[in-house]
Amino acid sequence: ECRSTQAMETSQSRISGNDPDVDANCEQSRCPVARGLHRVLVLDFDQTLACEEVSLLGSKEHAVVVFGGEKRIDALSSMLAEVISAGVTPAICSFNDKKIIGKSLAAVGLRKFFDGRFILGYGECLTDNNPTRIKGRAIEQAIMRPLDVAAENVLFVDDNPRNISEFQSFLPSAKTMLIPHASAPAASGGMQPEHMVAVVAWSRSL
């Protein structure tokens, strides 16, 4: 799962206009894109940021449940704020619908951490240049090229081993983190506190 340097292995063993996307929801005073920084954290959405597969846009109360409750939402908010303060651009690459992702994030106060240009949903992943929906290719084309980011400055977090494997094959010098699925039906899925701690440690080690 983890492909980090020896110094990182001990503490980060889990890390192997009118354009609606240029939006006011991103906190510009904190937004790394505005400062021209060039390191990226790419997060999957379902069962990674969210604790489950998200298919409907429900109430705010439903969104809180989908993200694992207020305590977990606060932890995600702290993680995203810390990686941004370390000079890392947070992004999303998911096979879910971009509108569902954006509205779900907004319902729990997390939308402000993401520049809409770097939220990739199904439609952004499935293009003429990427007909097989390989996330690594979509990330390289839509996120890394515009930001002029080198692969070694990217951390990709996903719950699907196939996505991780394809990403590693396409961008072998990038870092990856596999989020395991909940081991019991009643357990919460998605990123757990230890994964968030490892992400922050990675951002500070650069």
Side-chain angles (χ1 to χ4, degrees), residues 6 13 18 24 29 39 43 47 60 109 111 113 117 126 134 157 182 187 195 199:
Q6 184 175 0
S13 59
N18 291 323
S29 63
R39 294 174 287 179
L43 300 161
Q47 299 190 68
K60 178 179 179 180
R111 177 64 181 82
F113 294 109
R117 292 170 293 177
L126 182 61
I134 294 175
V157 184
H195 304 123
V199 165

Side-chain angles (χ1 to χ4, degrees), residues 42-110:
V42 184
L43 300 161
D44 178 40
F45 183 68
D46 299 298
Q47 299 190 68
T48 300
L49 264 177
C51 293
E52 57 188 75
E53 299 285 335
V54 183
S55 58
L56 297 173
L57 300 175
S59 64
K60 178 179 179 180
E61 290 73 20
H62 176 255
V64 170
V65 172
V66 163
F67 280 92
E70 296 285 1
K71 184 176 180 180
R72 184 173 181 274
I73 292 167
D74 288 344
L76 288 170
S77 181
S78 295
M79 177 193 74
L80 292 166
E82 289 198 53
V83 300
I84 288 173
S85 70
V88 176
T89 300
I92 293 173
C93 184
S94 169
F95 294 145
N96 204 329
D97 182 80
K98 181 171 181 173
K99 290 183 179 179
I100 290 177
I101 296 169
K103 290 183 178 180
S104 298
L105 292 170
V108 296
L110 297 177

